[in-house]
Amino acid sequence: MTIDLTALGWDAERAVHARRHPGRRPGRVARVDRGVCTVFGADGPLRATLGPAMLAAAAGDLTRLPCVGDWVLLRTWPDGPVTVECVLPRRTALVRRTAGKDASGQLLAANLDTAAVVEPVHPEPDVARIERLLALAHESGATPLVVLTKVDLAADPAAIARQLAGAAPGVPVLPISAERGVGLDPLRAHVAPGRTLALLGPSGAGKSSLVNALAGAVVMPTQAIRRVDGKGRHTTTWRALVPVPGGGAVLDTPGVRAVGLFDGATGLDRAFADIAELADGCRYADCAHDAEPGCAVRDALAAGELTARRYDSWRRLGREVTFETRRREARSAAERRSGWRSARRRTPRP
């Protein structure tokens, strides 16, 4: 079995990076299982462990480990094993905050061209979740998209899409039913030769059904939703890159209970572009948008031009981003102090 790597995104720029490592061959990571990578190479899929150089590079920063969507360089050893030797530079990256206290980020996926926020319309879309995931998508560097799934269960899906457009300024909102094949063509445009579409959303949102519909085959397991409350069960527990016939790939991510923003200041401004534009009109550049005079954001809120729900969501996510930024800065300062003390201990006395 051979694989056309250019259909998965291999290009001249990546080839330049690869030539700096002679004797290594390229591949794209399709899945990672406890340090073992499933990689699409030119000769077909293969399993590769992490090489010593790869482990050393990631010792101080786990985000340097390969993740789904990464382009990597492989080495085949004389006795047969294959190892991942390095990760090529990422063009985009989807990073969320980890649940621990180490102020670090978890890399969900890399090298995405489009990041689609997938949200079911039944029983009711969670607007705050859409806003949070859109901030994450914007921050990744990929083109954001909102996909409303299971629209066959809604009386007027077009009306729901129009209502949600206010929570996604400048972002297309696509109502889709994978079960009935409705609305898939606009989404297919984001899965073209050399391009990757990532699906981000909660369990039961229908991401696996979308992957199957785009791939034209059952490649991901699915389960029917409960008609009582419209909820589905967690069917996919791993992130996977799935090639699509004709070129391109879809990247399915497992549903997450909570997505913490790690470094989302830019993404937050883009996800709330309407409020960011209002903030530019505030009297003071450092306006906290609380009780300051001449606050354009508060004026829009009082005039009914900005809903209290969206304002509260923006403020909540802003506080989260500020908190995470301070945690990272504190961690960096502590590491610098630790390095300085270690250097002093190693310096011999005159």
Side-chain angles (χ1 to χ4, degrees):
M1 175 184 179
T2 59
I3 296 177
D4 180 7
L5 294 185
T6 60
L8 293 181
W10 185 253
D11 56 23
E13 182 181 339
R14 292 186 168 108
V16 169
H17 288 288
R19 283 196 289 271
R20 298 170 185 166
H21 304 268
R24 307 294 183 262
R25 54 190 172 118
R28 193 166 190 198
V29 178
R31 180 172 168 176
V32 179
D33 299 287
R34 298 181 181 179
V36 179
C37 302
T38 300
V39 182
F40 288 129
D43 296 327
L46 53 87
R47 301 276 280 175
T49 56
L50 304 181
M54 187 76 264
L55 291 172
D61 184 1
L62 294 180
T63 62
R64 298 183 68 177
L65 288 172
C67 76
V68 175
D70 268 330
W71 284 97
V72 297
L73 296 181
L74 306 168
R75 177 180 181 182
T76 302
W77 295 81
D79 55 346
V82 179
T83 55
V84 176
E85 295 298 302
C86 74
V87 175
L88 295 183
R90 295 163 179 145
R91 295 177 183 173
T92 61
L94 199 62
V95 184
R96 72 171 180 179
R97 174 177 54 82
T98 56
K101 299 180 180 180
D102 58 352
S104 63
Q106 179 189 10
L107 197 59
L108 297 178
N111 298 310
L112 323 169
D113 295 287
T114 303
V117 174
V118 182
E119 181 71 20
V121 301
H122 184 76
E124 185 178 3
D126 187 328
V127 183
R129 180 167 58 208
I130 292 174
E131 291 169 335
R132 175 180 288 273
L133 293 181
L134 273 178
L136 195 71
H138 276 291
E139 192 68 30
S140 74
T143 300
L145 188 69
V146 175
V147 175
L148 300 178
T149 59
K150 306 175 182 178
V151 297
D152 51 292
L153 301 178
D156 191 349
I160 297 175
R162 288 193 296 270
Q163 292 172 0
L164 291 177
V171 176
V173 180
L174 306 180
I176 291 175
S177 171
E179 181 178 344
R180 297 186 179 179
V182 175
L184 284 169
D185 286 344
L187 188 62
R188 292 186 197 277
H190 295 271
V191 189
R195 298 186 62 80
T196 300
L197 166 70
L199 305 178
L200 183 66
S203 299
K207 299 187 299 299
S208 296
S209 296
L210 284 175
V211 174
N212 293 338
L214 292 170
V218 178
V219 294
M220 302 296 288
T222 62
Q223 291 184 9
I225 63 170
R226 299 193 299 260
R227 291 282 172 171
V228 174
D229 55 10
K231 294 182 179 180
R233 286 181 288 177
H234 195 83
T235 55
T236 307
T237 58
W238 63 86
R239 289 180 285 279
L241 184 78
V242 179
V244 172
V250 182
L251 200 156
D252 185 21
T253 62
V256 287
R257 293 182 177 88
V259 176
L261 299 183
F262 176 62
D263 185 15
T266 300
L268 189 65
D269 283 345
R270 291 177 179 172
F272 290 85
D274 51 339
I275 301 182
E277 184 177 354
L278 287 171
D280 287 340
C282 291
R283 181 182 303 176
Y284 303 107
D286 60 348
C287 183
H289 317 294
D290 190 6
E292 295 87 347
C295 175
V297 175
R298 297 289 300 183
D299 289 345
L301 186 64
E305 300 169 2
L306 175 65
T307 66
R309 188 215 59 77
R310 185 158 172 82
Y311 171 78
D312 291 340
S313 179
W314 173 66
R315 294 268 289 180
R316 181 171 58 255
L317 293 178
R319 288 192 296 268
E320 184 176 317
V321 168
T322 299
F323 175 74
E324 288 303 316
T325 300
R326 290 173 179 169
R327 283 212 312 161
R328 286 198 310 280
E329 291 173 348
R331 181 188 180 188
S332 297
E335 290 174 347
R336 287 195 297 271
R337 289 193 297 270
S338 177
W340 178 76
R341 287 193 294 267
S342 297
R344 284 195 63 185
R345 285 195 294 268
R346 291 194 299 268
T347 302
R349 293 182 179 181

